[in-house]
Amino acid sequence: MGNIVELKNIGMIYHSLNGEIIALENINLSVEEGEFVSIVGPSGCGKSTLLSLISGLLKPTFGEVLINGKEVNGTSNEVGYMLQKDHLFDWRTIYENVILGLEITGTLNAGTKEKVLKLLDTYGLYEFKDKYPSQLSGGMRQRAALIRTLATDPKILLLDEAFSALDYQTRLAVNEDIYSIIKKENKTAILVTHDIAESISMADRVVVLTKRPGTIKNIHEIKLTCKKRTPLCSREAPEFRHYFNQIWKELDVHV
Amino acid sequence: MFKINRKKVNDKQTALQEISPEHREFLRKVKLRKTIILSTQLLILILFFVVWEVAGDLKLIDAFITSQPSRMVKTLINLYNEGSLFYHIGITCLETVIGFTIGTVFGIVIAIILWWSSFLAKVIEPYLVVLNSLPKIALGPVFIVWIGAGPASIIVMALTVSLVVTILEVLNGFLSVDQEKIKLVKTFGANRLQILTKVVLPASFPTMISSLKINVGLSWVGVIVGEFLVSKGGLGYLIVYGGQVFQLDLVMASVLVLAIAAALMYQGVVYLEKLLVRDNSQK
Ligand SMILES: Nc1ncnc2c1ncn2[C@@H]1O[C@H](COP(=O)(O)OP(=O)(O)O)[C@@H](O)[C@H]1O
Ligand SMILES: [Mg+2]
């Protein structure tokens, strides 16, 4: 399997009236197809910026972003982005929300409509398709947001603290839920989080960033002895604590 | 229609059977309170008119200057018999509706243009601020000279009063749409027109409706002042004419009709809002 995402010597500088902010510096990272990579780092270290660069929303100041070997130039259907909140539009029904991406990319047709309905059905939202977002629970809303992202059939999913708006119990359940969907749909995923446990429980590799300007401090290959790799099961693996402590130390959290 | 209604009634009845006596007692109290408030409001209104009438009869007040409910009714009946009552009401209402509709539509269109071009918005900002603080009524004579002493001037007057506020309000609404929602559609590759139609407009719909509500009130001001100046027809004309010939009955009766018409039109917009803005937070 080849590298689906490649970041080569990425640097990113923001300009504002207060001066320049060097958000990212010298980032080199490759992600294999089907891999699940987590990125952790102190807040403001450039995690969201990194995802925006991969998605093509921003252009890097230095270096290049390659997807399937081609340089990224603007957003594409290859990449799906999940933001911190579900941002379901409350003036649209769940179905209308889920087809938003298809509408915008002009790919709404009988085939894609059917695919969306199938996704809704597979992931237990079919009977809610004509309801409005406020009528759904937090977990179901997050699932609807994922289906909205999957509808345009991206190969790569970017999740920017996608679960941090949920309460702890729901979050564990949604982790489990979203993880199994991503694996089942065979997607490559890059998850940004500030929750160390979450990052380990879901990922094949955890990338630790330094504080601003963000550089890669370390990359951990996560190898856990689990019968079947799921986030909940991962949390019970004997090696889990070991990874947790190491990443915790690297993040160098002071209060 | 009927079926749906019946179903609703049935739902309510089953709901009633399930609720506890305490809750029923609570609901009864809420309802009682509502009834008391409404009847007090009605009582105040009736009392006001009765006292006014009686005070006039007892010569406690000079009915020539303050008028009297019975004299106002008489005046209205006279106007009605002459066939001019609904003519004047009609003119004023029509001018108001046209004025605030055009004001709202133009205001929203201009707000969209300014949202589209932040350069233009920045350039125009100081002018808008000055125009917003200018009492638009001052432009009345200018419009009459330019457009002529007729309904057109009055309508322009009404729309001028509401236009700038609408632009500012609606533009503000557009600019306060959650940036993350815009980022979301951008991740799908949305262009500026799609950002406008998929996010900004629907998200600002409540703002637009509420500016409509403000505009109704403002347009009444514009229309009445316009009619004062033009003096050809409408409730504003009746008021100013009544004042000039010292017929306070006519003035008061017209003010009363004006109050009722304005209230009805406002309720109309509130009703429209209910129809258009789905309350999705319910249920
Ligand atoms: N549009 C912008 N203009 C200027 N500075 C920005 C902009 N976006 C982000 N930054 C700055 O860049 C740094 C990294 O931001 P971000 O990627 O959002 O961090 P994280 O997601 O890790 O919290 C922050 O210090 C932030 O203030
Ligand atoms: Mg962030």
Side-chain angles (χ1 to χ4, degrees), chain A residues 52 57 75 81 83 85 87-92 100-101 103-105 132 134-135 148 152 160, chain B residues 178 180-181 183-191 194 198-200 202-203 278 280-283:
Chain A
S52 293
L57 283 174
T75 55
Y81 205 143
L83 303 166
K85 286 194 238 146
H87 289 299
L88 295 171
F89 294 166
D90 54 13
W91 56 88
R92 284 173 170 243
L100 180 71
E103 273 179 31
I104 290 172
T105 52
Y132 285 91
S134 57
Q135 294 166 278
R148 179 181 59 198
T152 51
D160 192 353
Chain B
D178 190 347
E180 288 282 298
K181 284 199 160 59
K183 183 174 175 182
L184 170 77
V185 292
K186 275 189 179 166
T187 66
F188 290 119
N191 57 34
Q194 285 173 321
K198 304 280 181 209
V199 190
V200 173
R278 260 189 326 254
N280 298 327
S281 52
Q282 290 295 306
K283 261 193 184 175

Side-chain angles (χ1 to χ4, degrees), chain A residues 43-49 81 84 160-161 192 194, chain B residues 183:
Chain A
S43 84
C45 76
K47 302 182 295 293
S48 300
T49 305
Y81 205 143
Q84 184 163 0
D160 192 353
E161 310 204 359
V192 157
H194 52 235
Chain B
K183 183 174 175 182

Side-chain angles (χ1 to χ4, degrees), chain A residues 49-246:
Chain A
T49 305
L50 195 58
L51 292 192
S52 293
L53 290 171
I54 297 171
S55 73
L57 283 174
L58 293 175
K59 263 186 101 61
T61 317
F62 309 109
E64 51 181 6
V65 182
L66 303 179
I67 291 192
N68 282 323
K70 274 194 291 249
E71 185 164 2
V72 169
N73 194 3
T75 55
S76 80
N77 281 350
E78 300 281 291
V79 184
Y81 205 143
M82 274 184 82
L83 303 166
Q84 184 163 0
K85 286 194 238 146
D86 55 61
H87 289 299
L88 295 171
F89 294 166
D90 54 13
W91 56 88
R92 284 173 170 243
T93 63
I94 293 303
Y95 173 72
E96 288 164 348
N97 264 292
V98 166
I99 61 169
L100 180 71
L102 297 171
E103 273 179 31
I104 290 172
T105 52
T107 48
L108 189 63
N109 55 44
T112 53
K113 274 184 196 165
E114 191 172 330
K115 208 194 118 207
V116 162
L117 289 176
K118 227 173 125 192
L119 280 170
L120 287 169
D121 187 39
T122 313
Y123 300 118
L125 285 176
Y126 189 83
E127 54 195 295
F128 298 96
K129 71 179 173 31
D130 298 320
K131 298 240 185 277
Y132 285 91
S134 57
Q135 294 166 278
L136 267 63
S137 69
M140 285 202 277
R141 292 174 61 121
Q142 208 65 38
R143 212 183 303 161
L146 179 62
I147 294 174
R148 179 181 59 198
T149 313
L150 293 175
T152 51
D153 205 15
K155 301 281 170 296
I156 306 156
L157 290 181
L158 308 176
L159 302 103
D160 192 353
E161 310 204 359
F163 314 115
S164 58
L166 302 169
D167 64 75
Y168 186 69
Q169 316 288 337
T170 314
R171 189 167 174 168
L172 289 182
V174 171
N175 276 174
E176 202 72 4
D177 203 32
I178 303 280
Y179 182 84
S180 73
I181 297 175
I182 288 174
K183 286 295 161 194
K184 202 168 155 203
E185 302 287 332
N186 249 326
K187 304 293 181 191
T188 308
I190 302 177
L191 167 72
V192 157
T193 174
H194 52 235
D195 181 337
I196 302 174
E198 184 175 271
S199 76
I200 302 167
S201 71
M202 296 183 80
D204 303 314
R205 279 193 294 159
V206 176
V207 178
V208 183
L209 296 183
T210 61
K211 52 175 183 291
R212 210 181 67 213
T215 55
I216 294 181
K217 187 160 199 173
N218 202 353
I219 299 181
H220 299 262
E221 292 268 352
I222 307 294
K223 293 219 158 35
L224 301 169
T225 32
C226 290
K227 254 195 237 107
K228 183 170 181 285
R229 185 76 203 271
T230 67
L232 275 182
C233 178
S234 302
R235 285 171 193 260
E236 274 150 30
E239 302 88 347
F240 189 84
R241 269 179 50 111
H242 159 73
Y243 287 119
F244 190 99
N245 288 332
Q246 207 167 339

Side-chain angles (χ1 to χ4, degrees), chain B residues 29-228:
Chain B
K29 275 191 182 147
V30 171
K31 212 173 144 198
L32 187 68
R33 198 178 143 76
K34 257 191 182 165
T35 319
I36 292 175
I37 290 176
L38 187 68
S39 18
T40 314
Q41 286 168 335
L42 276 176
L43 199 68
I44 290 175
L45 192 69
I46 294 167
L47 219 61
F48 176 73
F49 283 111
V50 168
V51 169
W52 189 357
E53 180 72 32
V54 172
D57 283 348
L58 299 178
K59 305 270 186 251
L60 294 175
I61 52 175
D62 184 355
F64 182 68
I65 289 172
T66 60
S67 185
Q68 219 179 353
S70 59
R71 296 168 71 145
M72 284 157 63
V73 172
K74 238 178 268 163
T75 313
L76 288 178
I77 291 172
N78 279 343
L79 278 175
Y80 177 75
N81 288 337
E82 283 170 27
S84 60
L85 178 63
F86 286 104
Y87 167 74
H88 290 293
I89 295 178
I91 286 187
T92 303
C93 287
L94 195 65
E95 286 165 347
T96 308
V97 169
I98 296 176
F100 91 74
T101 311
I102 299 180
T104 309
V105 171
F106 273 31
I108 291 174
V109 169
I110 294 174
I112 290 175
I113 295 171
L114 295 182
W115 173 82
W116 197 283
S117 162
S118 57
F119 173 76
L120 204 60
K122 273 281 167 233
V123 170
I124 271 185
E125 194 183 292
Y127 299 103
L128 280 180
V129 170
V130 171
L131 277 180
N132 191 37
S133 40
L134 174 82
K136 264 68 67 180
I137 311 295
L139 298 173
V142 180
F143 293 141
I144 291 174
V145 172
W146 287 355
I147 307 170
S153 281
I154 298 173
I155 290 170
V156 170
M157 193 76 235
L159 91 89
T160 316
V161 173
S162 58
L163 187 66
V164 183
V165 189
T166 310
I167 297 173
L168 291 174
E169 281 283 311
V170 173
L171 182 60
N172 233 332
F174 286 174
L175 294 178
S176 57
V177 170
D178 190 347
Q179 283 303 313
E180 288 282 298
K181 284 199 160 59
I182 293 175
K183 183 174 175 182
L184 170 77
V185 292
K186 275 189 179 166
T187 66
F188 290 119
N191 57 34
R192 209 146 167 78
L193 182 65
Q194 285 173 321
I195 293 174
L196 180 73
T197 55
K198 304 280 181 209
V199 190
V200 173
L201 283 181
S204 324
F205 198 67
T207 321
M208 291 191 264
I209 294 284
S210 82
S211 86
L212 201 70
K213 271 188 190 162
I214 300 170
N215 285 351
V216 181
L218 291 176
S219 297
W220 281 107
V221 176
V223 164
I224 294 301
V225 171
E227 287 178 352
F228 281 1

